Amino acid sequence: MDFQTALSFALPIAVSIAAIGSGLGLGKAVGSAMEAMGRQPEAAGKIQTGMIIGAAFIEALTIYALVGLLLLMGKIG
Amino acid sequence: MDIGFIARTIKTAAALGLLIIIFGSYYYGFQASLSVFTGLVWGMVNLYFLEKLIRSALRPDGVDKTTALVVMFIKFPLLYASGYFMVTSEYFDAILLLIGFSVVLLVMVLKAVGRTILKLDNMDMSNRKESLKSV
């Protein structure tokens, strides 16, 4: 197996793992935030702020993976 | 952290972006600093729409469907399509774009660390308790 073939197998798998990981993380964060807001609706603003910060970091990791994919895609074929 | 934290983070990142494009152009060249600045604007727009999306979709009094849908249809095509064109463009350096994108996250972390060290969140809470006592 040459470098390009290995890369064409590895890239989709790597991005899929990144997407699954960030999806799980974001799902858990949203679930916990909704639960916390249900218990304390008056603290919704603070919970949302924490949630936005967490979501931004999770999304950034996915974007890093996506940019890595786009950069390495040019080396296939 | 209070509700205005994200807006303040975006403002600080914008000020930092202006400094980056001024001093970066002088020291590293206009194209490199423009790549970092573009990545920073990308991150700021992403954070702005993410805030709007979460504030409209995750609320105790139900989802604001219209706003959530509008923001979703603006955010995802804007973020990913523009990101794709910027990364595949030969004008911008992808690594510098990512550095600019990360600056917003860095600003957020540093502001949060600063608030923790200065105990600003605790101060808000004690002020609130004092004001409640006075009432």
Side-chain angles (χ1 to χ4, degrees):
Chain A
M1 188 185 289
D2 64 342
F3 169 73
Q4 290 181 336
T5 315
L7 200 60
S8 61
F9 277 112
L11 278 180
I13 294 171
V15 174
S16 306
I17 291 170
I20 290 169
S22 66
L24 285 174
L26 210 51
K28 192 168 169 51
V30 171
S32 303
M34 293 301 279
E35 199 176 316
M37 266 189 257
R39 282 185 189 158
Q40 277 189 303
E42 69 275 6
K46 285 188 174 185
I47 295 166
Q48 280 175 342
T49 306
M51 165 84 207
I52 291 164
I53 294 169
F57 279 99
I58 292 168
E59 203 176 341
L61 287 178
T62 319
I63 288 169
Y64 292 156
L66 196 68
V67 171
L69 167 88
L70 292 174
L71 284 177
L72 290 172
M73 230 167 58
K75 296 189 177 180
I76 301 173
Chain B
M1 266 167 261
D2 56 350
I3 294 174
F5 181 79
I6 305 294
R8 288 200 306 273
T9 301
I10 291 174
K11 280 179 196 164
T12 311
L16 194 61
L18 286 177
L19 289 177
I20 284 172
I21 201 157
I22 292 167
F23 289 100
S25 303
Y26 183 75
Y27 287 108
Y28 300 104
F30 181 70
Q31 196 170 351
S33 59
L34 188 68
S35 294
V36 176
F37 182 75
T38 310
L40 197 144
V41 172
W42 186 27
M44 276 162 44
V45 172
N46 177 35
L47 187 64
Y48 176 78
F49 281 112
L50 187 68
E51 185 192 10
K52 292 283 170 211
L53 183 64
I54 288 178
R55 293 225 191 274
S56 61
L58 302 176
R59 301 190 312 169
D61 48 344
V63 182
D64 182 0
K65 283 182 188 168
T66 317
T67 314
L69 278 174
V70 167
V71 170
M72 207 181 290
F73 278 113
I74 294 173
K75 180 186 181 298
F76 289 106
L78 189 80
L79 176 69
Y80 291 108
S82 63
Y84 174 76
F85 285 117
M86 283 189 296
V87 170
T88 53
S89 154
E90 288 183 3
Y91 188 77
F92 297 116
D93 186 2
I95 303 298
L96 294 176
L97 276 173
L98 274 190
I99 289 172
F101 185 82
S102 308
V103 167
V104 182
L105 304 176
L106 188 69
V107 168
M108 205 187 287
V109 169
L110 290 177
K111 280 179 90 75
V113 168
R115 284 185 75 84
T116 308
I117 290 172
L118 296 173
K119 296 177 181 169
L120 290 178
D121 291 323
N122 297 339
M123 193 181 289
D124 290 346
M125 192 58 79
S126 63
N127 283 347
R128 196 176 300 163
K129 279 179 186 168
E130 287 296 322
S131 62
L132 282 174
K133 275 180 194 171
S134 64
V135 171

